[in-house]
Amino acid sequence: MNDTDKAITSRCSTRLSRRAFLGAVAAGAGLISLPSRLRAASGLGITSSAMAFDGDGLIVAHDTLSRRDGGGALTPLRGPTGGNILSLATHKDRAGRIAAGLKSGGVALSEDGGQSWEVGHRGLPDAPVTAVTMAALSLDTLYAAVHGDGLWKSEDAGRSWILAMDRPWLEGAERDLTALASVDLATGMGGIWIYAGTEMGLTRVPDCLCRWQDVQPGDAMDALISGAAPSPEKPLPAGEPILALVSAASLPTKLYAALPSSVWVSEGAGVVWVQRSTSRAEAVAVSPKNADHVAALTEDGLIQSRNGGMTWTALADL
């Protein structure tokens, strides 16, 4: 083993120890439980589900992996080695590239629309990847949420990873990240926010990765300095886990969230939310070309809307 490999092994061991230590302390104190995605993947509820638009195609992970192009039927895909997919992410400027967070650990990457996969995990802790997103303005930058740990970052399309942020501290404990979205907003420190769903609700951090904060009106720097920024006008339901979160690439201020209560939509960057369905939602995806074209996995099956969730039509039973 050369010096570089030894350094990587040492860093990985430190991160694993950190994750194990935090998890043991929190679990012993009764402060954490498995987030909804992992309870589902463990067979204690719904099966793990994820979805994302790849150009005009829709990628759906629900027990198995499939793809739907145009108005066609769902076509099975060969999933990545490593087990269940807990999250999916794509990029508007790179059709065919799909990232998948795996229950077994690691992030799988496909460059051909899901036909073949390569799993990258160098530097990542050996734990489920509950959420993954691609940076809005950087094709090779990925973010991943690791169960029991924090927010991790890759700048080489998932081949290697470094720890970017600890988990957010919410209501007396560190909380796992259950959903991620890179959002291109003028109010971010560099124009970009990382929005995150947790088992307790919504949070975000500017892409300077300086501090988790509540979603609120105003500029990122003002919020960081004030320490007492105004609350969202109509937030998501308090204490309800966010199972999936997406920003519309063609209109970044428009966000969709999948919650146990339903699909929710925000027209104003997460400050005001409106309920847009009546059934439990497990996953949600929005077209990169049309902010009103949204698809969701719900207890009623795979559904889609062409008017921002005002009305829905069935696509398939799953």
Side-chain angles (χ1 to χ4, degrees):
M1 181 181 293
N2 59 35
D3 291 342
T4 300
D5 290 336
K6 289 179 180 178
I8 291 172
T9 300
S10 175
R11 289 197 299 271
C12 292
S13 299
T14 300
R15 289 165 183 162
L16 286 168
S17 299
R18 169 186 171 277
R19 181 179 65 83
F21 173 77
L22 290 175
V25 170
L31 295 177
I32 64 170
S33 61
L34 280 174
S36 298
R37 279 192 182 279
L38 296 186
R39 286 200 298 271
S42 300
L44 300 180
I46 58 173
T47 54
S48 56
S49 301
M51 59 194 308
F53 275 94
D54 175 33
D56 293 326
L58 181 62
I59 310 298
V60 181
H62 183 84
D63 294 334
T64 59
L65 187 67
S66 57
R67 180 184 179 104
R68 181 180 188 268
D69 286 296
L74 288 169
T75 302
L77 291 174
R78 184 177 181 179
T81 302
N84 291 353
I85 292 174
L86 298 182
S87 55
L88 287 168
T90 55
H91 199 286
K92 66 180 180 63
D93 295 328
R94 182 67 66 86
R97 173 174 285 185
I98 306 167
L102 305 181
K103 179 188 174 185
S104 59
V107 174
L109 196 72
S110 174
E111 298 285 5
D112 55 12
Q115 300 298 323
S116 62
W117 297 85
E118 180 179 349
V119 179
H121 48 68
R122 191 178 72 185
L124 279 177
D126 184 17
V129 175
T130 55
V132 63
T133 190
M134 297 186 188
L137 300 181
S138 179
L139 287 171
D140 290 333
T141 299
L142 278 65
Y143 295 93
V146 177
H147 173 58
D149 205 284
L151 179 67
W152 291 73
K153 181 179 182 179
S154 171
E155 295 182 331
D156 55 9
R159 295 177 182 84
S160 62
W161 296 84
I162 59 171
L163 179 66
M165 290 282 290
D166 286 329
R167 295 175 295 172
W169 186 268
L170 302 170
E171 298 190 18
E174 275 196 2
R175 303 291 178 176
D176 271 315
L177 303 174
T178 55
L180 290 173
S182 177
V183 185
D184 183 5
L185 296 177
T187 58
M189 298 289 287
I192 306 297
W193 288 91
I194 305 299
Y195 278 63
T198 74
E199 57 195 321
M200 304 301 295
L202 187 64
T203 187
R204 68 180 181 179
V205 63
D207 66 352
C208 63
L209 301 173
C210 39
R211 192 184 77 190
W212 293 107
Q213 60 179 251
D214 292 336
V215 178
Q216 55 204 237
D219 183 82
M221 183 60 75
D222 293 340
L224 288 170
I225 293 173
S226 69
S231 299
E233 298 171 21
K234 292 183 180 179
L236 288 166
E240 193 171 350
I242 297 173
L243 305 183
L245 182 69
V246 290
S247 166
S250 61
L251 184 62
T253 54
K254 191 161 194 173
L255 306 176
Y256 294 91
L259 278 68
S261 58
S262 70
V263 174
W264 292 73
V265 62
S266 173
E267 302 278 359
V271 176
V272 175
W273 290 89
V274 178
Q275 192 171 6
R276 281 288 187 252
S277 74
T278 58
S279 57
R280 175 188 178 93
E282 304 172 20
V284 65
V286 60
S287 167
K289 300 177 182 179
N290 183 352
D292 288 330
H293 183 193
V294 58
L297 275 169
T298 73
E299 59 189 356
D300 297 325
L302 179 62
I303 59 176
Q304 76 169 353
S305 172
R306 296 280 186 172
N307 55 12
M310 297 294 292
T311 59
W312 298 87
T313 58
L315 288 179
D317 292 326
L318 295 175

